[in-house]
Amino acid sequence: MVDVDQALIARCQRGDAAAFADLVAITQNSVFNMAYRILSNREDAQDAAQEVYVRVWQGLPGYRSDSKFSTWLYRVTVNTCLNRKRQLRRELLTVEDDAILETVPEPSADPLHETLRNEWSNRIWKAVDALSDKYRLVITLFYQEELSYAEIAGLLTLPIGTVKAHLNRARLALAKSLSANGAL
Amino acid sequence: MKNKLHPTDDLAQFIADGEPSTIAYQALRSHLASCPSCQVLAEHLRMTEDALHSMPLVGVSPALRPNVAMIIKREQASIPEWKPFPKMVWIPTAALLAVTVAALVLAPAGGATPVPISLHGSEVTSVNDLISELMSVNLNLNSETLLTIGSAVASILGGAGLLWSLSSLNADDRDRLHDMNARLSQGASHWLHPKRD
């Protein structure tokens, strides 16, 4: 996520709506994409992103600059999406055995992805979409948002070992799924 | 749970994080050198890893920004919800108000006439006299004197507490105070200059 200028945040905190529109413009790609990856639906992602920004607007007066704004925004986004998928919060706490990796379904055709330029990325990200919610969430945070293991652990309030286990399961599932579908 | 025959989890971690020279990874490397199925999996993991790093972004809906702007505008236009002040403000304020009210109610009807305080049979005429008399062992304070002293101490403490609270307000609290001030001004203005239809 692009880091947001402190002066812009200060203007938003004073209730400057134009400054907040700029903040939305800067961060909307990350927020919308994260919501889309978690919720796997464009309309739901749109609703969630709107809710995120309303919560950010309401919470900005209480935001303290001793923590990174992007970290706070990630937290609001993840919590907003997890509130819409309550069972996902519980699923994140469990690490399945290897057997689940053999049953990743073949990704179905999605018109949204037809516009993607790269066929290889298209296949990989279709496979990511076919992963279960919790694997998709950690893959998105690690590869799309480029957060560290520790940052993801802090964001999801999970032990680092659990985060690494989820990521390893997801990587193995993708490699095996693509291999089985002849993509590799 | 780990695969008993092939260290797949370690292999995935190994491919993703590079090749640290720990003993565990040295064991993994030696397994990899002698296991054809793990070599194939490692190659697939490497290709997957490369592809994951070049992730395409989904296009944001153009309606997002106008929708958010509209909601914010609506929020700004609506009357802000009343939020009570934090405890550190309203407790000293309430204490100060209570003391003021008590002093007004209990004040002698004569009002301005000072009531001489009598200690040890001698009349006290100054603060110095009062302090020196209070320092002596045998106090002979009546209830009226105690009430006066108690009210003075409570007023000082309440006032000091209120000043301390106001000096330690954060931005959110200050916003609430400004909001309350605006409401009071607006209310007073309506009361003093009522609209005539």
Side-chain angles (χ1 to χ4, degrees):
Chain A
M1 186 182 289
V2 183
D3 221 0
V4 182
D5 182 30
Q6 280 299 325
L8 181 63
I9 295 170
R11 283 174 58 204
C12 295
Q13 286 182 308
R14 289 194 294 268
D16 185 338
F20 192 71
D22 290 345
L23 186 141
V24 174
I26 292 167
T27 57
Q28 63 177 353
N29 260 330
S30 277
V31 169
F32 181 81
N33 272 271
M34 199 191 301
Y36 176 74
R37 294 289 174 203
I38 298 171
L39 301 170
S40 345
N41 178 292
R42 205 174 165 78
E43 284 70 39
D44 290 348
Q46 163 98 2
D47 288 348
Q50 275 178 211
E51 189 184 334
V52 166
Y53 284 116
V54 172
R55 288 174 68 176
V56 166
W57 173 256
Q58 291 168 341
L60 265 172
Y63 165 73
R64 300 281 172 268
S65 55
D66 49 0
S67 66
K68 264 176 76 179
F69 179 78
S70 58
T71 307
W72 183 62
L73 185 55
Y74 280 129
R75 194 177 298 281
V76 175
T77 306
V78 168
N79 285 338
T80 302
C81 293
L82 289 182
N83 283 343
R84 289 164 178 255
K85 279 202 162 186
R86 291 190 181 278
Q87 86 287 354
L88 178 54
R89 209 182 278 275
R90 286 190 299 276
E91 285 171 15
L92 279 166
L93 297 169
T94 59
V95 180
E96 287 91 356
D97 60 25
D98 290 350
I100 198 155
L101 304 180
E102 313 296 339
T103 58
V104 175
E106 188 172 352
S108 59
D110 179 354
L112 186 64
H113 288 277
E114 285 171 13
T115 55
L116 298 177
R117 289 169 297 167
N118 190 307
E119 177 64 19
W120 175 243
S121 292
N122 191 357
R123 283 185 173 227
I124 270 282
W125 287 97
K126 273 186 180 177
V128 169
D129 286 346
L131 288 173
S132 67
D133 293 339
K134 67 178 177 185
Y135 294 139
R136 207 169 52 246
L137 173 59
V138 290
I139 284 281
T140 302
L141 292 172
F142 191 80
Y143 290 101
Q144 180 183 294
E145 301 302 333
E146 297 179 336
L147 299 188
S148 67
Y149 296 122
E151 284 171 324
I152 298 173
L155 200 62
L156 302 178
T157 56
L158 293 174
I160 289 186
T162 306
V163 172
K164 285 184 176 179
H166 287 335
L167 273 167
N168 289 338
R169 290 288 188 281
R171 289 165 181 144
L172 287 165
L174 289 172
K176 287 178 180 177
S177 163
L178 293 181
S179 174
N181 294 329
L184 288 167
Chain B
M1 188 182 293
K2 291 186 178 182
N3 188 319
K4 286 170 188 166
L5 295 174
H6 304 284
T8 51
D9 269 15
D10 291 343
L11 187 59
Q13 191 77 56
F14 176 71
I15 300 296
D17 293 347
E19 302 184 359
S21 57
T22 61
I23 294 170
Y25 281 104
Q26 283 168 12
L28 179 67
R29 240 195 309 264
S30 59
H31 171 86
L32 199 54
S34 61
C35 177
S37 68
C38 280
Q39 285 169 12
V40 172
L41 180 61
E43 185 55 25
H44 289 173
L45 279 166
R46 278 196 192 94
M47 294 173 77
T48 304
E49 189 71 17
D50 289 344
L52 283 172
H53 278 293
S54 57
M55 196 220 68
L57 286 176
V58 178
V60 179
S61 164
L64 179 60
R65 279 177 68 189
N67 285 357
V68 171
M70 194 174 67
I71 295 168
I72 300 305
K73 200 175 173 183
R74 214 163 43 211
E75 284 232 336
Q76 282 185 317
S78 65
I79 298 169
E81 187 186 340
W82 169 255
K83 292 176 183 173
F85 288 109
K87 279 182 184 173
M88 69 177 190
V89 173
W90 63 256
I91 289 177
T93 308
L96 190 60
L97 282 174
V99 166
T100 308
V101 170
L104 286 172
V105 170
L106 298 172
T113 310
V115 179
I117 300 169
S118 175
L119 295 169
H120 295 286
S122 61
E123 196 170 285
V124 176
T125 53
S126 69
V127 175
N128 283 340
D129 288 346
L130 177 65
I131 292 170
S132 59
E133 286 293 336
L134 287 174
M135 293 298 284
S136 63
V137 181
N138 297 317
L139 292 176
N140 184 21
L141 301 177
N142 60 31
S143 60
E144 199 175 59
T145 311
L146 280 173
L147 182 67
T148 308
I149 295 169
S151 299
V153 170
S155 298
I156 291 165
L157 289 177
L162 185 62
L163 284 176
W164 171 77
S165 302
L166 291 173
S167 68
S168 57
L169 290 180
N170 60 27
D172 195 23
D173 300 327
R174 275 196 293 274
D175 285 347
R176 290 188 211 167
L177 271 180
H178 287 150
D179 175 49
M180 188 186 75
N181 186 34
R183 283 163 181 271
L184 287 174
S185 305
Q186 200 178 11
S189 170
H190 279 299
W191 186 65
L192 291 170
H193 310 288
K195 283 182 184 174
R196 297 178 197 280
D197 295 326

